[in-house]
Amino acid sequence: MKIAMLARNANLYSHKRLKEAAEVRGHELDILNTLRCTVHIASHKPEVYYDSEPCIGYDAVIPRIGASITNYGLAILRQFEMRGCWPLNESVAIGRSRDKLRSLQILAKHGLGLPLTAYANDPKKAEEIIRAVKGPPVVIKLLEGTQGIGVVLADSMSSAKSVIEAFRGANVNILVQEFIKEAGGTDIRALVIGGKVVAAMKRTGAADDFRSNLHRGGSAQLIKITPEERSTAVRAAKRMGLNVCGVDMLRSNHGPVIMEVNSSPGLEGIEHATGKDIAGQIIEFIEKSAKIGATKTKGAG
């Protein structure tokens, strides 16, 4: 099988592991810098070029599209889909997951556990949305933030209003969420592949940080999740339409609540914490699932 991976940095742990896992199983995997791909649009002849050469002969594509280039990356992925190339995660599903507000709306519609969340455009509504999530304290998040960047904990009404007004004054879109104090600065990441949780880890934030992201100095360890947490992760992946994802949850007094569904989960932390060959399981899923033209939306949705 010939596989393309859309990724800007071939030296990241996750990308090297996926390439290694594919080659061990006898496949060819090319890492294509997403920004060096171009789209050529013509009737009945969708083409993708990489460094001026046509991208042909690929059976599957693994999108590892950075958040900062989501729109461009999805345009490239859609073109692969229109050519009949099978994507590990489809462009429409990735687009859903990258839009924090849209993803929460979808999950809420289907009854999945979420922290109370409010969204407003007018900074004069700051106090209203803070009270709507039973705060303060509240967590204020940039809609476009990743890896814990742009996430602020405000523990008083005045500080929360100041942060909201500052962000909105800079024309930055934000969400305001209830602070799940009982989570104690830890969260759970459940890694879902093909509708099954294949690994889970508990992430704990640094001593002086309520965020548990590993990129922000947090630590990870193996954890046994409950049947309810497992079901929540699987349902979230299904509702987002993702074959592979990391579902980040907090343990609240009223059950698991979803913080985010990540369509390009890093493999380093969870492989080290669990000792599992996650990259190999992803390649095995591609082997079983990749069929030419089997994309549900074919890039058009």
Side-chain angles (χ1 to χ4, degrees), residues 1 20 46 54 74 81 94 114 127 153 169 172 176-177 181 192-193 198 201 235 266 273 278 284:
M1 184 178 290
E20 174 188 90
L74 293 183
E81 292 171 346
I94 295 172
L114 299 169
E127 187 166 336
L153 174 62
V172 175
V176 179
Q177 292 186 320
K181 183 179 179 180
V192 179
I193 301 176
V198 300
M201 63 178 174
R235 289 167 59 208
I278 304 301
E284 288 176 6

Side-chain angles (χ1 to χ4, degrees), residues 172-234:
V172 175
N173 292 312
I174 58 168
L175 292 175
V176 179
Q177 292 186 320
E178 70 172 314
F179 176 55
I180 309 296
K181 183 179 179 180
E182 59 268 27
T186 68
D187 74 3
I188 296 167
R189 165 157 292 184
L191 203 292
V192 179
I193 301 176
K196 296 180 181 178
V197 174
V198 300
M201 63 178 174
K202 180 172 77 171
R203 303 185 299 187
T204 303
D208 58 347
D209 199 336
F210 76 99
R211 298 166 296 181
S212 55
N213 303 74
L214 301 185
H215 289 86
R216 315 229 47 92
S219 59
Q221 66 186 80
L222 178 68
I223 188 174
K224 182 176 176 60
I225 61 175
T226 67
E228 185 181 9
E229 289 163 348
R230 186 175 299 273
S231 172
T232 296
V234 169

Side-chain angles (χ1 to χ4, degrees), residues 125-147:
K125 301 285 187 182
E127 187 166 336
E128 177 184 327
I129 61 176
I130 291 166
R131 296 196 185 285
V133 300
K134 299 183 178 178
V138 294
V139 176
I140 302 165
K141 294 182 177 180
L142 298 183
L143 281 181
E144 295 81 15
T146 61
Q147 299 176 351

Side-chain angles (χ1 to χ4, degrees), residues 104-171:
L104 290 174
Q105 290 172 318
I106 291 169
L107 296 173
K109 176 185 175 182
H110 294 286
L112 284 135
L114 299 169
L116 290 174
T117 303
Y119 173 73
N121 184 66
D122 186 351
K124 294 178 182 177
K125 301 285 187 182
E127 187 166 336
E128 177 184 327
I129 61 176
I130 291 166
R131 296 196 185 285
V133 300
K134 299 183 178 178
V138 294
V139 176
I140 302 165
K141 294 182 177 180
L142 298 183
L143 281 181
E144 295 81 15
T146 61
Q147 299 176 351
I149 298 170
V151 180
V152 178
L153 174 62
D155 57 9
S156 70
M157 180 63 76
S158 61
S159 63
K161 287 173 68 175
S162 294
V163 172
I164 292 169
E165 289 166 1
F167 278 140
R168 289 304 304 138
N171 202 30

Side-chain angles (χ1 to χ4, degrees), residues 5 7 9-10 12-19 31 64:
M5 183 193 299
N9 187 351
L12 287 183
Y13 176 94
S14 300
H15 304 160
K16 291 194 292 185
R17 282 286 295 117
L18 286 164
K19 182 174 177 64
I31 300 179
R64 301 284 302 182

Side-chain angles (χ1 to χ4, degrees), residues 232-299:
T232 296
V234 169
R235 289 167 59 208
K238 180 179 179 181
R239 292 306 179 188
M240 298 304 293
L242 294 165
N243 291 319
V244 174
C245 62
V247 181
D248 297 339
M249 299 175 282
L250 298 177
R251 285 178 165 169
S252 77
N253 289 334
H254 48 85
V257 294
I258 299 169
M259 301 303 292
E260 185 176 6
V261 182
N262 190 319
S263 59
S264 295
L267 304 185
E268 185 171 11
I270 200 157
E271 285 198 338
H272 289 168
T274 65
K276 293 187 177 181
D277 178 13
I278 304 301
Q281 293 190 52
I282 290 173
I283 298 301
E284 288 176 6
F285 176 75
I286 293 172
E287 290 172 344
K288 296 174 183 175
S289 307
K291 295 179 177 62
I292 296 296
T295 307
K296 293 177 184 175
T297 58
K298 295 182 173 54

